[in-house]
Every structure is written in C-alpha cells, then in structure tokens.
C-alpha cells in the first residue's frame, strides 16, 4: 500500500505544472520572451568615454616611475564593462560582466591584499561591495583571477 501512495503522490506532483504568467519563458525557437529583470535597459543610449572606475599604485622600481593601473570603461551593453590594465610595459584587457540586480551597475576598484594588487567588484542592492576579480603580480607578471562568480536567479514558488 505504501508504494501506491508514493506513486500517486509522484503522479500528482508531475502533473501539477505551475502557471507560467509570462516570466522568463523560452519560445519553441529557444529565445526568451521576457527578460528576468526588465527594469534596467540592456543597452546604453550613451557610452561614457572616460573610465567609470580607476586604480593606480606605484610599483617599486629604482630606475623607472612605473605603476599598476586599472581603468574600467562602459560598453554599449549595460552590464558589461571593459577593463584596461597596465603594469610596467605590459598591457592587458579583460571584460567584466555584472549581474542584473534590477539596479544600474556600479563598479568599484579597491586595494588588494598584497602589494601591487587590486580587487575589481561591484555594489549590490544594499550597497555592499562584492569582490569579483583580483589583479595582481606574480613573478613580475600580470595575473587576472576571478575570485567569485555571480549570477541572479529568480525562483517562483507555486501555491
């Protein structure tokens, strides 16, 4: 008798599909019909030419006036940024994608844990700094590491 009760419960759960209400659905062609969070436009009307965040730290060198410098620029996409990094004569570029929390993204760069390092991150809805990427030097080579991965998910509890 226990097995029949379990099978009946399982059948009821499988057949009880939640109503869709148009939230984040994919049509048969695989394209979403509505974005997860549509309060912020996915593209910018105007892209700023100047950096939205910058960091610079002098590199200890007796002969040269070198720096570790990081500048972050907007792109056409609202939640994507371009990082331009310079260390001594090395130059690098990397992208930064911020999750859509329903607010305009605010990128910040803070001093890193080691000398000649910095942490690139963003502010969440509560204004808390979220560490994202570490830019540091290892054996006089520039290294970019992802510290944490972020994503936004929306769960619907059916009643």
């Amino acid at each position: 008798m226990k097995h029949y009760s379990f099978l009946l419960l399982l059948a009821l759960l499988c057949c009880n599909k939640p109503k869709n209400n148009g939230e984040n659905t994919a049509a048969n062609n695989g394209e979403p019909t509505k974005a997860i969070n549509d309060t912020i436009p996915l593209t910018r009307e105007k892209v700023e030419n100047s950096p939205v965040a910058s960091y610079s730290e002098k590199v200890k060198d007796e002969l040269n006036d070198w720096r570790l410098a990081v500048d972050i620029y907007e792109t056409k996409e609202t939640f994507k940024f371009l990082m331009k990094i310079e260390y001594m004569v090395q130059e690098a570029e990397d992208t930064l994608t911020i999750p859509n929390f329903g607010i305009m993204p605010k990128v910040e760069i803070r001093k890193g844990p080691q000398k000649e390092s910095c942490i690139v991150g963003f502010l969440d809805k509560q204004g808390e700094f979220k560490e994202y990427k570490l830019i540091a030097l290892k054996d006089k080579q520039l290294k970019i590491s992802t510290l944490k991965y972020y994503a936004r998910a929306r769960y619907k509890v059916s009643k």
Side-chain angles (χ1 to χ4, degrees):
M1 193 67 168
K2 277 185 177 178
H3 296 290
Y4 293 116
S5 300
F6 175 72
L7 290 175
L8 180 62
L9 178 63
L10 185 60
L12 285 173
L13 288 174
C14 291
C15 293
N16 187 16
K17 292 183 181 177
K19 290 182 182 175
N20 197 339
N21 294 337
E23 291 182 3
N24 196 27
T25 59
N28 288 338
N29 61 4
E31 293 181 26
T33 56
K34 185 176 178 184
I36 288 176
N37 193 334
D38 58 0
T39 58
I40 305 296
L42 296 178
T43 57
R44 300 179 199 278
E45 288 185 26
K46 182 179 182 242
V47 177
E48 291 294 326
N49 290 331
S50 58
V52 294
S54 294
Y55 177 85
S56 181
E57 180 179 343
K58 188 168 175 42
V59 173
K60 187 176 180 180
D61 187 280
E62 294 83 30
L63 302 175
N64 300 296
D65 184 29
W66 280 330
R67 302 192 160 285
L68 168 65
V70 180
D71 291 313
I72 301 178
Y73 296 89
E74 290 179 345
T75 65
K76 188 72 178 156
E77 295 178 62
T78 304
F79 297 96
K80 288 195 178 186
F81 296 84
L82 174 65
M83 293 192 311
K84 292 188 177 184
I85 306 154
E86 186 179 321
Y87 168 67
M88 295 168 67
V89 293
Q90 299 177 52
E91 292 182 3
E93 288 187 357
D94 195 12
T95 57
L96 186 70
T97 303
I98 307 297
N100 184 346
F101 288 120
I103 59 171
M104 285 302 286
K106 179 144 176 50
V107 177
E108 284 191 5
I109 308 172
R110 297 189 177 177
K111 174 75 182 111
Q114 302 103 356
K115 188 176 179 183
E116 299 169 358
S117 71
C118 64
I119 296 175
V120 177
F122 59 93
L123 300 181
D124 67 6
K125 271 188 165 182
Q126 290 76 32
E128 281 188 45
F129 181 71
K130 299 294 184 184
E131 296 180 344
Y132 196 179
K133 294 193 178 191
L134 171 67
I135 299 169
L137 305 175
K138 186 172 183 180
D139 301 325
K140 297 273 184 190
Q141 292 295 314
L142 190 59
K143 299 289 180 192
I144 304 168
S145 309
T146 301
L147 297 171
K148 295 181 182 177
Y149 294 92
Y150 296 93
R152 184 177 184 283
R154 186 167 159 176
Y155 299 97
K156 182 178 176 186
V157 179
S158 56
K159 296 179 182 179

